[in-house]
Amino acid sequence: MSRLMLAVAIGVVLVAMLWLMYGLQDRKLLRADAEGEQTARIIAAAVVRPTLDADGAAGGRLSEADIADLREHVSALRHEQQVLALGVWRSDGLPLFLDEDPQGARLSTPDLDRARRGELWTANVAGPGETPALRVYLPIRTADTPAAEFVVGVVLAHDDVVQEAESRLLRQQVSTAVVFALIVLGLVAGRRRLVVRERQARHDTLTGLRNRRALKEDAGRMLARATDEKPVALLLLDLTEFKTVNDTLGHAAGDVLLQQVAATLLAAVRREDLVVRLGGDEFAILLTDLSDRAAAQKRAEQLLRRLRETSFTAHGVDLAVDGSIGVALAPEHGRQLSELLQRADVAMYQAKRARRGTTLYDVATDQHTVGQLEMVTDLHRALADDEFELHYQPKVSLPDMRVTSVEALVRWRHPTRGLLPPADFMPVLERAGLMPQLTQWVLRRAVHQAASWQRAGMPLQVAVNVSPRSLLDEALPARILAVLRGAELPADLLQLEITESAVMTHPERAAFVLTQLASRGITVAIDDFGAGYTSLGFLPVLPITALKIDRSLVTRLLEHPENEAVTQAVIDLAQRLGMTVVAEGVETAALIDRLTMLGCDQVQGYAISAPLPADSLEGWLADWRARCDQSRRGAQRSSPQESGQWALTVDS
């Protein structure tokens, strides 16, 4: 109910109340007369009628005894202040009894006509002593006559009758006023409840900002005014490391921080702009009155700078706040809120990945296009039609250069685009939620291939990458064991490679799954170590058997001494913990030599071999063994000082 409707409703109620109360006031005199008539009827019936019925007023007169009796009754009634006077007349106007009422000694001809017609009438006059009085005349007939023979006049104190009527009316008016007051209060309370409910429905309870519903309701009006000359910008803000605040200080501290961030954002925008909390640590800001797209980008940067420069405190701890902002413009990127939200979200994640702070949406870099949707459809078909295939990249041990294991790497044999590497389809596959299905397919295919090699007298451990989502599945160990049993492959010939992020997302849950796997003889390696943020404290407690140094450290090892220092430290730490160290991304013989000197256990990369299909790998392995045997024999004929490293025999 709007304020106008509430005011109208209250006005109607008040008018109705006044009308009713004035109406009751007007009815006061009518009610007083009616009550006086009723009193007169009772007195006439109780006092006069019995006397008249007794002897029919023989001879048209009352006896002395009847008169005395009536006078006694009237005296008693007067003493009780019920009447002022009483009179009895015949229907022809002859008075039979008059008690202290000289003004009523005569009845007029019209009065007598009324009496003969059997009509009652009243008159408001001044009674004895100028007291306001109500005179009531009642025609009476005796039991034996059908027509009225007598008229009884009863004089009542009018003030008493009116006062009694006023008392009753006052009670009714008070009751009416109370009822209408309750109605008004009910309307006001109802309006207040509606306002509170509406505010709760449109506002975030934690920060007081408007919520997603309010954004949907208000954005249409703001976006409708957007033009190319005066665009409207939708900013999507996501705070950085907010989860760390919750995990470290608790959710109550996180709530305090969100409230402070909300207040900062409100203070940094204009009154006509809109700040909304979408949920969690995600905020939306609608900016108006912009001159062009550059102004929108500038405003976004100013907002982010304001957050970075503001001091925030939660539970006594000073906190620095940063975030990523995606910007979408209306009408350039769409006029509908849903379009702008989707595109601002794309820009925000681009800003987050590139660590740029703010990013303006660019359709050229949007991976969530119709083409991406078509690829999702193709990926579903590829899983159903078995279009994926595995290539295997060997790992060799140092310094003897023996092939110890291989890593299974997936490729997509696209019907029209040919063989696609993982970078071309993995991001889309992950967003589509198809990674668990592909992981299961890779596990099954790799395990059966390893079992085939074992039966052929070529036992090779095969390493399979497991996605973070699959690692958090507590049913993963049971499924892997079922695949191993089905292929009759020993558990130690399967190694699972997991990324740092997979462990750090939910370390306790990941530790549970990894422990289950390790207890059944399956080895686990941390992949891309050094590219993420693994806590070193987890390494001693997780059942990890191998550590793979990320290529970002390995490829710049020779040019950057600091990379070599970090690599040496990782090798020493891992080996002290009983782990095998594998360097990936090795592309030159010089790198193999250097890693050998640093004590690295294994290497993997194009300096050894590119990933190969299973049948090609078998031929490569035979050739590799022959070259290694030849190098070994040459080394035995040379002196230790003259012998070269094994890497010299490796084709790049």
Side-chain angles (χ1 to χ4, degrees), residues 137-157:
Y137 295 93
L138 304 98
I140 295 179
R141 66 174 182 271
T142 58
D144 299 332
T145 59
E149 293 184 293
F150 304 97
V151 177
V152 176
V154 180
V155 183
L156 304 171

Side-chain angles (χ1 to χ4, degrees), residues 309 368 384 426 456 473 480 508 531:
E309 294 174 353
H368 300 77
M426 277 296 187
D473 184 2
I480 292 177
E508 296 81 6

